[in-house]
């Protein structure tokens, strides 16, 4: 019996690898995979009971058989990945090619941006960072993945909202193109004309909150301040609703939950199946639970907005999606509602965090290099800061914002893609079809081959010193092409208006005793950048 058992178990292990797991994706079928193995175990045990002398012998045989099955399965996978995989000849950490656990382990501290940079320095511009994953650190990388000529599709990460989805989280390119129209309209120039005065109202309220800190003689925790702002702007623009963070001078509980929920993704941003394991099997613990709570909060907001749709007069983004939904006569089933509307809300709520991270970095750089603050103050001296067009034309101001977005992009890594049927060539190297590819923005935007003194903050590279930009294609904080951030105009409007409004009235400096390294030391990469604490003093200008 023993040799038959060993041979059968080993054969099953090989069949599972070569017949099943090597083909396609399984991150959304984890329950089925576990159930399939459970059925296999029960059936085997039943058969073993028939041919064994006792239950103990059958149980022992099952244990041995399972061990052989899993050992064969994993050995077969390992041998394939090391010796036969189409990516086997790419440079990269050997263990990364063997298992994605290598990456997860090294990104446990949510510093994937730092890890990616080290990998780039050690292995070059096209590196194998996972069994079926190539990371591209070439200046052309972001454009290759998302630019007009790209034939890539989105990778497994975009299944994160399943069973919910949205126009932007769908991996179906046609659906993405069709459904992105509503997004573009909801953030169009006309919509922006509606939103701007309302954003200004939030910005003014924020400055009022800072006035109070100044009156009380207290330093300002910029991370909290910008959390209030970005969440309230998101409420205003998306749901036409005041979430009251600024009014209450208190971070909204949903924002805090969101921060923790995103913390879940720091180490596993590029390893979707681990997140899906959490959702499938332990939705009640820690950050997995918080993720579920965040999703529930977003759904609730959308449902509330849906109920008050008829009496809502002020336009907001949700209104566009509800109108789209209502125009779908006959196609308004639960599944559709969930797919396109709940997922949409979640995307926007998360998107609001990007602006927050950009703001925190802007304040940090203005404190660190006050000469740029003074230069901006000179530029805005005779400008109406409520005039968005005028602000958009100020050269040094916009150069500072762009330099911040380059050196600390709010979307630092992630945004993975799959190569199309013809693969892709980068830096003379062919990447085969069906390969996961990433182009980490943090690393690409710090390439010396694209930006001279890439690690230095030099806003003049965007104005009077263009020779410091050697390859403009590397600047893609909002990505490119049909996947470019549709919130770009809104984000710039917020960044310009609020920064200008504050610098008109205040000088900003680091609070006494604050260690400026804190922001960088504690910076985390969790879908969006999460900078460490920044404490500032706002001092009224003479
Ligand atoms: C400084 C602020 C921001 C930065 C740097 C930024 C950056 C990005 C990047 C890099 C992407 C591509 C992500 C991917 O491929 O998965 C993206 C997509 C997106 N962003 Fe932003 N974003 C910002 C603000 C916003 C805001 C304020 C909104 C909305 C209110 C927004 C809405 C979106 C949406 C809907 C997408 C998905 C586009 C698509 O897949 O078609 N973003 N953003």
């Amino acid at each position: 019996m023993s040799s038959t058992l060993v041979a059968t178990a080993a054969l099953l292990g090989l069949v599972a690898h070569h017949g099943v797991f090597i083909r396609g994706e399984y991150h959304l079928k984890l329950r089925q995979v576990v159930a399939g193995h459970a059925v296999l175990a029960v059936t085997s045990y039943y058969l073993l009971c028939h041919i064994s002398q006792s239950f103990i012998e059958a149980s022992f045989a099952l244990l041995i058989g399972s061990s052989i099955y899993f050992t064969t399965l994993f050995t077969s996978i390992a041998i394939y990945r090391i010796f036969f995989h189409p990516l086997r000849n790419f440079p990269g950490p050997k263990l990364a090619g063997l298992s994605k656990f290598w990456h997860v382990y090294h990104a446990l501290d949510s510093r994937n941006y730092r890890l990616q940079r080290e990998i780039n320095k050690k292995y070059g511009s096209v590196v194998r960072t996972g069994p079926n994953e190539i990371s591209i650190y070439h200046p052309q990388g972001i454009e290759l993945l998302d630019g007009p000529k790209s034939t890539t599709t989105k990778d497994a990460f975009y299944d994160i909202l399943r069973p919910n989805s949205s126009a932007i989280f769908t991996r179906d390119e046609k659906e993405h193109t069709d459904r992105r129209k509503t997004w573009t309209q909801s953030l169009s120039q006309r919509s922006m004309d509606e939103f701007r005065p309302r954003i200004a109202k939030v910005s003014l309220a924020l400055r009022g909150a800072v006035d109070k800190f100044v009156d009380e003689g207290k330093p300002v925790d910029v991370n909290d301040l910008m959390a209030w702002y970005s969440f309230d702007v998101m409420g205003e623009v998306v749901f036409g609703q005041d979430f009251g963070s600024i009014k209450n001078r208190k971070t909204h509980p949903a924002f805090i939950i969101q921060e923790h929920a995103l913390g879940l993704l720091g180490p596993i941003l590029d390893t979707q199946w681990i997140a899906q394991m959490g959702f499938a099997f332990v939705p009640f613990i820690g950050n997995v639970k918080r993720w579920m709570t965040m999703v529930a909060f977003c759904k609730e907001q959308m449902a509330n907005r849906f109920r008050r749709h008829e009496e809502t007069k002020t336009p907001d983004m949700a209104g566009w999606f509800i109108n789209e939904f209502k125009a779908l006569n006959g196609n308004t089933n639960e599944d559709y509602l969930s797919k396109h509307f709940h997922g949409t809300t979640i995307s926007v709520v998360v998107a609001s965090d990007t602006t927050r991270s950009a703001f925190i970095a802007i304040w940090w750089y203005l404190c660190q290099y006050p000469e740029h603050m003074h230069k901006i103050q000179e530029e805005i001296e005779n400008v109406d800061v409520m005039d968005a067009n005028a602000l958009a034309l100020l050269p040094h101001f916009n150069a500072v914002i762009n330099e911040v977005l380059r050196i600390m992009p709010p979307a630092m890594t992630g945004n993975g893609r799959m190569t199309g049927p013809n693969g892709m060539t980068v830096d003379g190297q062919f990447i085969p079809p069906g390969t996961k590819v990433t182009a980490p923005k943090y690393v690409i935007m710090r390439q010396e081959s694209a930006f001279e003194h890439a690690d230095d903050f030099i806003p003049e590279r965007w104005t009077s010193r263009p020779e410091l930009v050697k390859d403009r294609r590397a600047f893609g904080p909002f990505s490119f092409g049909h996947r470019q951030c549709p919130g770009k105009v809104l984000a710039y409007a917020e960044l310009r208006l609020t920064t200008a409004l504050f610098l008109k009235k205040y000088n900003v400096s680091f609070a006494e005793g604050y260690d400026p390294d804190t922001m960088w030391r504690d910076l985390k990469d969790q879908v969006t950048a999460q900078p460490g604490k920044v404490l500032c003093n706002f001092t009224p200008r003479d």
Side-chain angles (χ1 to χ4, degrees):
M1 177 183 98
S2 58
S3 60
T4 317
L5 175 74
V6 170
T8 312
L11 187 68
L12 280 175
L14 286 174
V15 169
H17 176 214
H18 291 278
V20 184
F21 293 117
I22 209 168
R23 298 163 202 279
E25 296 176 336
Y26 285 89
H27 59 280
L28 294 178
K29 297 177 190 148
L30 294 170
R31 283 202 184 98
Q32 290 91 318
V33 169
V34 171
H37 280 89
V39 169
L40 183 64
V42 171
T43 316
S44 307
Y45 190 60
Y46 176 78
L47 293 174
L48 286 166
C49 284
H50 274 275
I51 54 174
S52 304
Q53 311 287 331
S54 66
F55 287 130
I56 294 179
E57 192 187 316
S59 306
F60 187 66
L62 183 68
L63 189 71
I64 299 286
S66 311
S67 309
I68 292 169
Y69 167 80
F70 284 113
T71 307
T72 314
L73 172 64
F74 291 122
T75 309
S76 173
I77 290 175
I79 290 173
Y80 171 73
R81 288 176 175 176
I82 296 170
F83 299 108
F84 300 102
H85 197 282
L87 302 184
R88 64 188 178 281
N89 293 326
F90 280 88
K94 282 284 166 262
L95 288 176
L98 192 62
S99 164
K100 224 23 217 165
F101 278 124
W102 181 90
H103 196 158
V104 175
Y105 174 73
H106 284 88
L108 273 178
D109 60 357
S110 289
R111 261 70 169 201
N112 190 30
Y113 67 99
R114 206 188 275 171
L115 173 67
Q116 295 276 355
R117 191 140 202 245
E118 284 162 15
I119 294 176
N120 169 221
K121 284 190 174 152
K122 192 161 176 193
Y123 296 99
S125 62
V126 184
V127 181
R128 186 183 189 191
T129 46
N132 187 38
E133 179 184 289
I134 293 288
S135 289
I136 302 170
Y137 308 109
H138 190 272
Q140 212 187 341
I142 306 171
E143 197 188 43
L144 263 175
L145 262 53
D146 285 349
K149 291 187 191 147
S150 163
T151 56
T152 61
T153 51
K154 290 184 171 177
D155 80 328
F157 169 77
Y158 294 84
D159 284 326
I160 186 102
L161 299 182
R162 293 293 182 122
N164 304 301
S165 179
S166 81
I168 58 171
F169 270 81
T170 177
R171 297 175 67 192
D172 178 329
E173 283 301 298
K174 174 152 175 13
E175 190 187 359
H176 176 255
T177 311
D178 290 349
R179 308 229 70 89
R180 198 181 136 102
K181 285 178 200 136
T182 313
W183 272 99
T184 323
Q185 285 166 337
S186 73
L187 288 160
S188 68
Q189 201 51 50
R190 235 178 76 203
S191 301
M192 283 306 299
D193 290 343
E194 290 281 352
F195 294 155
R196 256 186 225 105
R198 284 151 61 191
I199 296 171
K201 201 180 74 188
V202 182
S203 303
L204 279 165
L206 189 77
R207 200 172 69 174
V210 168
D211 292 345
K212 278 198 189 146
F213 280 109
V214 174
D215 292 346
E216 292 161 5
K218 287 185 185 159
V220 176
D221 181 326
V222 168
N223 300 52
D224 280 351
L225 192 78
M226 297 329 297
W228 304 349
Y229 177 79
S230 59
F231 211 68
D232 282 3
V233 168
M234 183 275 297
E236 186 63 49
V237 167
V238 181
F239 301 111
Q241 188 184 334
D242 179 8
F243 280 124
S245 318
I246 298 176
K247 197 166 58 200
N248 303 325
R249 298 174 86 194
K250 202 164 170 243
T251 307
H252 196 284
F255 185 89
I256 298 170
I257 288 173
Q258 175 190 309
E259 294 299 283
H260 288 293
L262 293 180
L264 169 77
L265 300 179
I268 56 172
L269 197 57
D270 284 316
T271 316
Q272 180 54 204
W273 64 267
I274 297 184
Q276 294 294 345
M277 291 272 272
F279 301 151
F281 301 112
V282 284
F284 43 80
I285 61 160
N287 284 348
V288 183
K289 183 175 169 192
R290 292 189 187 99
W291 175 273
M292 298 299 186
T293 312
M294 180 189 89
V295 171
F297 168 80
C298 296
K299 283 186 173 186
E300 196 187 313
Q301 297 313 310
M302 194 63 172
N304 290 344
R305 175 62 183 77
F306 203 87
R307 280 193 284 276
R308 52 172 211 273
H309 188 56
E310 297 313 324
E311 71 259 23
T312 300
K313 297 285 173 278
T314 42
D316 54 30
M317 287 176 72
W320 281 92
F321 296 107
I322 293 170
N323 287 337
E324 182 198 2
F325 177 63
K326 291 198 169 222
L328 286 168
N329 301 323
N331 194 10
T332 52
N333 57 41
E334 261 300 303
D335 179 49
Y336 193 90
L337 179 72
S338 170
K339 197 168 177 192
H340 293 290
F341 295 90
H342 296 151
T344 296
T345 329
I346 301 161
S347 334
V348 188
V349 172
V350 174
S352 70
D353 211 33
T354 48
T355 330
R356 170 180 177 255
S357 126
F359 265 124
I360 296 168
I362 288 176
W363 294 123
W364 190 92
Y365 274 105
L366 293 180
C367 294
Q368 182 76 356
Y369 302 109
E371 63 272 27
H372 294 300
M373 173 179 71
H374 296 311
K375 224 166 156 184
I376 296 172
Q377 284 170 331
E378 272 168 37
E379 278 190 347
I380 58 175
E381 199 55 47
N382 297 312
V383 170
D384 172 8
V385 294
M386 294 296 166
D387 182 346
N389 295 331
L391 292 182
L393 293 174
L394 302 177
H396 196 72
F397 187 19
N398 287 285
V400 166
I401 293 176
N402 282 342
E403 188 66 347
V404 168
L405 292 174
R406 179 188 74 80
I407 212 156
M408 207 185 89
M412 305 178 101
T413 61
N415 304 158
R417 312 286 183 237
M418 300 300 292
T419 52
N422 298 323
M424 139 188 312
T425 302
V426 52
D427 210 15
Q429 297 182 68
F430 179 70
I431 303 172
T435 305
K436 179 183 165 182
V437 274
T438 72
K441 294 180 180 55
Y442 175 85
V443 188
I444 290 185
M445 291 200 271
R446 282 177 179 246
Q447 290 294 309
E448 273 299 319
S449 57
F451 302 103
E452 211 149 303
H453 308 299
D455 283 335
D456 297 340
F457 184 75
I458 312 177
E460 290 79 4
R461 71 174 84 242
W462 303 107
T463 52
S464 53
R465 300 179 66 191
E467 71 280 5
L468 299 185
V469 180
K470 293 191 276 188
D471 193 337
R472 176 97 205 195
R473 293 173 304 181
F475 183 66
F478 294 93
S479 197
F480 297 116
H482 64 298
R483 297 196 191 113
Q484 171 166 255
C485 172
K488 183 176 168 180
V489 176
L490 173 64
Y492 271 117
E494 288 181 43
L495 295 174
R496 289 183 190 125
L497 170 67
T498 310
T499 312
L501 201 62
F502 274 77
L503 292 187
K504 266 275 191 205
K505 185 165 180 183
Y506 290 115
N507 285 328
V508 59
S509 57
F510 289 129
E512 226 175 64
Y514 171 76
D515 172 9
D517 280 347
T518 313
M519 184 184 83
W520 293 103
R521 199 183 49 235
D522 298 343
L523 172 63
K524 291 192 175 170
D525 176 6
Q526 297 173 334
V527 183
T528 52
Q530 301 295 329
K533 277 269 174 249
V534 178
L535 296 179
C536 293
N537 278 333
F538 285 85
T539 320
R541 293 173 66 191
D542 299 331

